Each structure stands twice: as structure tokens, then as C-alpha cells.
């Protein structure tokens, strides 16, 4: 694309993975610090093409090592406005992945970058090459940007000095949609920036549901679609409201079928269990169903431990991502916890039973006051037994579901011999949806009399339309 760079630049390199053995250096990521930020500025305050580096350059970094890394871009132009900052910021993910030998993951202060050994051996020895390439792409692909300059930081002390101010900018963006809700608008917005990693993903951004990556809210989507109609953010007429509780709209369903190439034709925006939103891979948090307590847990990227279900974030992210619609797992952006429609079809906050302590602290003030102390963290529960005991001790609202479940089982025991198999109470599996391999719901299937049938699925991927179990006379 450009001869002046020591690497090729092309969309064909999106989705390139750099494994540890092929990595020259790792930048930011879960074991270090970093961020990416775009700020709008006046034309006179931006020197087009200028690059500033604070800290060691790529050539000074030891092979196989890890460094903090931050990127700040200042953009200007007649059409540039504050609403466009997060849109341009998110395109940094796309454009850095255009560079052969670079891998950019995640967003905001969760960025994670790797530079490959082969790219360095071919002459990629300075961050200036990367910054100049990204600035060129910004101006070529986003013509409303007339000037852009870049500041890269690899010095930990400087990053720590800047990161809180940066997080304050993110927070201010997120709070803009607090007073606006899905029913107040006629149009939602879609985003396909993760299509190279998750080709069947259908990212729908509404006033009550931020993008999975947490970087794009409804106002951002509107601004992007306005200035770049052919870009990765676009309008979705929401159409007819099919179900208010779960957030199902005819317009969203039509786009789901189109964007997923027919893989999915229904999405319920505020449902965890039935036709849930697809999950790309850039999500900030993964939700996971815990059948033993009929509750939902959440785990974020920053949590390095193991959840009560015995799995770490990375394992569950692998089950959840790729643009799949998975029963039992769901990727979301952190700001979705602040939505009044947060998984409302499945009980909302009253269904949440576990979160890592740091994630809980982050959204603590946004939780209903009566549930705050009833949600366990890693300090309270490390496995299913300790979680169950904690929920009983705190009289969590989930206990009401246990009582209902026991009552239903008693009725089933008295039922006629012929009984159609049903999933465990509280787990409504939609037709033709994939059950992830590590998801093991215990499904009691009573056929009358004593004993009954109990089926436990382990390490299996199953697509089920309907199961009927009949007892022979």
C-alpha cells in the first residue's frame, strides 16, 4: 500500500495472530498497562504528521519482553467533533491490524499488542513506522480528518500519570446515554469492526446496550454513520417491537440474518438465555450460567483467577467468542451493567450471583442497593459449594428460584408416566442453538415413578431441535 514502510499494509492481514514463540515484544496487555485515546482539537493546535515518542523505542526493546504502551492521536478538521473521537479510536484497532507482523487486540485501557519477530527482522525497528502508517490510514479512510498527530508512550511512569485522565474521558463518553433509552429512538447502529475475527458477529449498539468492546455507544454510532456512510458503523432501523422484555425487534432480526450470512435470524438484546446477542471476542466481560445455583456469574479480562465454575476468563472467552450465539455464555461491555435493561428478560441483577471483586467495585454504585452485598466475589466463593452457602447466608433473591424449582420437581414426580423432556428450570434453550463444550447443565427428566432419568452432557457440542423421552408400558 505504501513503499515507504518496512512492512506491507493490507486488510488481508487482519486476523493475523502472533503467538508467543513468534513474538518480538508484547505491549500493554493483561500483564502490563496501556491505553489508546483519540482527542479532537482545533486545526491550529495540530501539526499534521508529527510523531512524538516518550520512552524506549522498538529498537531498544529486548526480544521476548513486555512493555507498557499508550497511543494518543490528536485529530482536526472542519467536520471533526467530539462525538467522533471514540469512532476514530476504535479504527486504530482495525488499522494496526492492517500492518503485517502486528497484532492489536481489545480497546481503550485494555489494549494488547504484539510485534512479530519476522516484522522486526524486515526493518520494523521504530514505533514511528507504525504511527505514520496509522495516521496515513486515518486520513485516507476517514476523509473528515484533515490533520492528525500521534504521541506514543512506553514509559510506565508517564502512562500511570496519564491513565486516570484517560479513564475520565472514557467515563464521560459512557455517561452521555444515561438519559436515553431504546424506546426513545427509531434507529439502532451496527458495527462490523470485528468481522475479521468474528465473521458472523452481529454487534448492535442501542441507547441501552453499548458495543461489546465498550468503546462505541449510540451517539458514537450515529456520528460515525453520518460522516462515513460506507464505513463499519451503520444505521439499523429497529422496526417493529416484538418483545419489550427481551428486547426483540424485527429490524434487528433482519440485520442479524444479513450480517451473519443466515447463521442467525433472531437476537434478543436483553436476554441471556434465549437468542442472546452474539459475542465477538473484544468483549470486556463474559457472563456464564451456573446451573447448580441457577444463577449467572460475570468475569472480566483483568481477573486472572478461576471462577466458581472452575474456568478462567480466557477459557470462557474461547467458548463465547467468534461471533457465536451461545446458550450459557454472553460477552458484554462493562457499561451494559449500568443499563436499566441489563439482562432483564432473565431477572436482571437478581439473577447475578458472582463477580470478581475489582469488577464489582467498578459497577458497585450502579447496582440496586438491595443486591450489592448479596453478590459473591472470589473472597466469598471459590467453588460451587461455597457459592451456594454464601447465597443462602445472604438470602440472595436467587433462592426464590430454588423454591420454585423444587415445587416444579414435586409436580413432575406426580405427573403421568409420559413426559416430554425439559431443560433445568430457568434454562430455556432455544431451538437449534449450540451448547458449548464445557457447559454441563444437569437436566432432570422425570418419567414418573421412582428413579427418573438424569442426563449430564460433558465435553460435547450438541445441536438439539427437540428431545422427547417416553416410558414404555
Amino acid at each position: 500500500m505504501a513503499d515507504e514502510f518496512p512492512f506491507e499494509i493490507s486488510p488481508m492481514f487482519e486476523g493475523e495472530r502472533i503467538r508467543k514463540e513468534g513474538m518480538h515484544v508484547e505491549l500493554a496487555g493483561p500483564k502490563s498497562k496501556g491505553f489508546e485515546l483519540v482527542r479532537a482539537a482545533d486545526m491550529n493546535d495540530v501539526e499534521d504528521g508529527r510523531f512524538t515518542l516518550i520512552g524506549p523505542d522498538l529498537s531498544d526493546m529486548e526480544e521476548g519482553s513486555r512493555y507498557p504502551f499508550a497511543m494518543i492521536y490528536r485529530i482536526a478538521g472542519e467536520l471533526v467533533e467530539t462525538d467522533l473521537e471514540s469512532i476514530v479510536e476504535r479504527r486504530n484497532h482495525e488499522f494496526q491490524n492492517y500492518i503485517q507482523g502486528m497484532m492489536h487486540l481489545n480497546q481503550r485501557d485494555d489494549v494488547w499488542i504484539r510485534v512479530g519477530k519476522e516484522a522486526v527482522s524486515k526493518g520494523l525497528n521504530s514505533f514511528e513506522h507504525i504511527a505514520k502508517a496509522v495516521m496515513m490510514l486515518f486520513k485516507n479512510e476517514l476523509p473528515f480528518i484533515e490533520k492528525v498527530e500521534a504521541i506514543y508512550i512506553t514509559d510506565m511512569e508517564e502512562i500511570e500519570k496519564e491513565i486516570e485522565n484517560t479513564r475520565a474521558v472514557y467515563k464521560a463518553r459512557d455517561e452521555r446515554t444515561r438519559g436515553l433509552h431504546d424506546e426513545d429512538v427509531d434507529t439502532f447502529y451496527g458495527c462490523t469492526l470485528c468481522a475479521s475475527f468474528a465473521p458472523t458477529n452481529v454487534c448492535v449498539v442501542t441507547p441501552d446496550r453499548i458495543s461489546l468492546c465498550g468503546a462505541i455507544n449510540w451517539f458514537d454510532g450515529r456520528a460515525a454513520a453520518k460522516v462515513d456512510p460506507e464505513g463499519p458503523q451503520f444505521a439499523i432501523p429497529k422496526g417493529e417491537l416484538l418483545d419489550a422484555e427481551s428486547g426483540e425487534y424485527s429490524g434487528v432480526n433482519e440485520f442479524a440474518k444479513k450480517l451473519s450470512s443466515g447463521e442467525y435470524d433472531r437476537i434478543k438484546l436483553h436476554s441471556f438465555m434465549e437468542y442472546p446477542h452474539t459475542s465477538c471476542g473484544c468483549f470486556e466481560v463474559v457472563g456464564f450460567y451456573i446451573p447448580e445455583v441457577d444463577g449467572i456469574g460475570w468475569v472480566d479480562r483483568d481477573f486472572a483467577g478461576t471462577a466458581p465454575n472452575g474456568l478462567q476468563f480466557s477459557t470462557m472467552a474461547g467458548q463465547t467468542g467468534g461471533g457465536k450465539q451461545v446458550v450459557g455464555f454472553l460477552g458484554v461491555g462493562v457499561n451494559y451493567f449500568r443499563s436499566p435493561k441489563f439482562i432483564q428478560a432473565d431477572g436482571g441483577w437478581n439473577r447475578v450471583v458472582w463477580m470478581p471483586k475489582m469488577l464489582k467495585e467498578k459497577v458497585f454504585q450502579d447496582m440496586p442497593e438491595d443486591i450489592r452485598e448479596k453478590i459473591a466475589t472470589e473472597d466469598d466463593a471459590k467453588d460451587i459449594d461455597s457459592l451456594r452457602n454464601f447465597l443462602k447466608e445472604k438470602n440472595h433473591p436467587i433462592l426464590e428460584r430454588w423454591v420454585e424449582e423444587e415445587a416444579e420437581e414435586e409436580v413432575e414426580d406426580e405427573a403421568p408416566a409420559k413426559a416430554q423432556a425439559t431443560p433445568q428450570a430457568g434454562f430455556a434453550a432455544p431451538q437449534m442453538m449450540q451448547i458449548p463444550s464445557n457447559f454441563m447443565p444437569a437436566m432432570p427428566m422425570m418419567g414418573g415413578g421412582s428413579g427418573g432419568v438424569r442426563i449430564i452432557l460433558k465435553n460435547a457440542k450438541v445441536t438439539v431441535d427437540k428431545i422427547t423421552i417416553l416410558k414404555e408400558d
Side-chain angles (χ1 to χ4, degrees):
M1 190 181 251
D3 296 335
E4 66 265 32
F5 299 111
F7 42 69
E8 288 190 55
I9 303 172
S10 170
M12 68 180 289
F13 300 118
E14 274 196 287
E16 178 184 10
R17 295 291 185 178
I18 297 176
R19 305 300 178 187
K20 195 169 183 180
E21 58 273 14
M23 174 191 84
H24 181 75
V25 292
E26 182 173 273
L27 306 167
K31 297 180 181 178
S32 188
K33 285 189 177 181
F35 63 85
E36 59 189 1
L37 182 69
V38 168
R39 300 311 311 261
D42 291 333
M43 289 284 282
N44 294 333
D45 295 334
V46 176
E47 183 181 327
D48 191 34
R50 181 171 67 180
F51 171 71
T52 303
L53 176 65
I54 302 172
D57 205 347
L58 195 52
S59 58
D60 302 318
M61 294 180 171
E62 183 181 347
E63 183 178 309
S65 55
R66 181 184 300 113
Y67 292 84
F69 189 57
M71 299 158 280
I72 302 171
Y73 300 97
R74 302 177 73 242
I75 61 172
E78 186 178 346
L79 298 178
V80 168
E81 54 185 88
T82 305
D83 281 356
L84 293 169
E85 288 178 348
S86 57
I87 294 300
V88 177
E89 192 172 286
R90 194 69 186 110
R91 297 297 289 271
N92 185 54
H93 165 79
E94 178 182 21
F95 295 153
Q96 289 205 347
N97 281 313
Y98 281 8
I99 298 173
Q100 186 179 24
M102 273 200 75
M103 181 182 77
H104 179 292
L105 298 174
N106 309 333
Q107 65 292 316
R108 291 190 170 184
D109 54 345
D110 282 328
V111 290
W112 184 5
I113 295 103
R114 283 181 173 176
V115 180
K117 292 178 183 178
E118 189 174 348
V120 172
S121 70
K122 291 181 178 179
L124 178 52
N125 55 22
S126 174
F127 288 115
E128 185 169 10
H129 297 309
I130 297 168
K132 294 279 189 183
V134 172
M135 287 191 284
M136 178 194 72
L137 289 166
F138 276 150
K139 293 180 70 176
N140 287 352
E141 300 292 324
L142 304 170
F144 58 85
I145 299 177
E146 298 175 45
K147 288 184 176 183
V148 56
E149 62 182 34
I151 303 165
Y152 282 12
I153 308 172
T154 57
D155 177 77
M156 179 64 87
E157 186 177 342
E158 189 67 23
I159 287 176
E160 289 179 334
K161 200 188 309 180
E162 294 285 341
I163 199 164
E164 289 309 315
N165 291 332
T166 298
R167 286 171 177 160
V169 173
Y170 299 152
K171 183 178 180 182
R173 292 175 184 168
D174 293 341
E175 288 180 346
R176 293 189 62 210
T177 58
R178 288 294 184 95
L180 191 69
H181 302 292
D182 293 354
E183 58 269 22
D184 300 329
V185 301
D186 295 323
T187 304
F188 297 153
Y189 293 93
C191 180
T192 57
L193 272 174
C194 293
S196 60
F197 295 91
T200 59
N201 188 49
V202 185
C203 193
V204 183
V205 182
T206 83
D208 284 310
R209 202 181 201 285
I210 198 166
S211 63
L212 277 65
C213 65
I216 299 172
N217 63 35
W218 185 86
F219 287 104
D220 301 328
R222 183 179 67 172
K226 178 182 175 182
V227 299
D228 187 15
E230 303 302 319
Q233 286 85 30
F234 47 87
I236 298 178
K238 69 181 190 181
E240 180 187 353
L241 175 63
L242 303 178
D243 181 35
E245 186 72 7
S246 63
E248 184 175 14
Y249 294 86
S250 62
V252 173
N253 286 344
E254 288 171 14
F255 267 80
K257 188 171 184 178
K258 177 181 177 182
L259 294 176
S260 69
S261 299
E263 188 78 12
Y264 311 111
D265 59 8
R266 292 183 71 182
I267 285 182
K268 297 188 175 185
L269 298 170
H270 306 298
S271 172
F272 189 99
M273 299 295 188
E274 189 172 59
Y275 301 104
H277 194 291
T278 58
S279 300
C280 54
C282 294
F283 41 73
E284 296 181 294
V285 184
V286 168
F288 55 97
Y289 177 63
I290 308 173
E292 294 87 346
V293 297
D294 199 16
I296 295 170
W298 299 90
V299 60
D300 62 322
R301 292 181 180 277
D302 293 333
F303 182 64
T306 301
N309 63 356
L311 302 176
Q312 294 184 320
F313 174 88
S314 57
T315 303
M316 287 188 273
Q319 294 286 358
T320 310
K324 294 177 288 187
Q325 191 179 54
V326 181
V327 173
F329 293 114
L330 181 69
V332 301
V334 169
N335 211 39
Y336 184 51
F337 288 112
R338 302 182 174 101
S339 169
K341 293 182 173 61
F342 169 64
I343 60 167
Q344 66 180 12
D346 300 292
W349 279 105
N350 284 347
R351 200 71 181 275
V352 177
V353 296
W354 189 91
M355 304 172 81
K357 183 167 59 177
M358 286 183 63
L359 177 60
K360 184 177 177 181
E361 288 173 355
K362 191 180 292 186
V363 298
F364 189 79
Q365 295 303 321
D366 300 287
M367 296 179 181
E369 191 171 345
D370 60 348
I371 196 71
R372 291 173 182 171
E373 301 302 331
K374 298 178 181 181
I375 296 174
T377 71
E378 68 272 26
D379 291 344
D380 307 307
K382 298 186 183 299
D383 53 33
I384 299 298
D385 288 339
S386 57
L387 175 60
R388 187 183 290 111
N389 292 336
F390 176 90
L391 298 174
K392 288 179 181 178
E393 179 187 332
K394 296 294 184 179
N395 195 28
H396 191 290
I398 202 73
L399 270 62
E400 295 177 10
R401 299 183 68 88
W402 298 358
V403 173
E404 292 172 5
E405 196 171 317
E406 289 171 3
E408 288 176 7
E409 288 181 357
E410 287 177 9
V411 171
E412 287 175 353
D413 284 337
E414 298 170 2
K418 286 188 178 182
Q420 181 172 308
T422 57
Q424 179 170 332
F427 180 73
Q431 292 184 357
M432 302 305 292
M433 291 188 66
Q434 189 182 64
I435 299 174
S437 61
N438 282 341
F439 182 56
M440 298 177 286
M443 299 185 290
M445 301 179 183
M446 303 300 180
S450 60
V453 178
R454 192 174 190 84
I455 297 177
I456 299 178
L457 305 178
K458 293 186 177 180
N459 298 321
K461 289 190 176 180
V462 182
T463 299
V464 179
D465 185 17
K466 182 179 180 183
I467 296 177
T468 302
I469 296 179
L470 302 176
K471 184 178 179 181
E472 295 183 359
D473 294 330

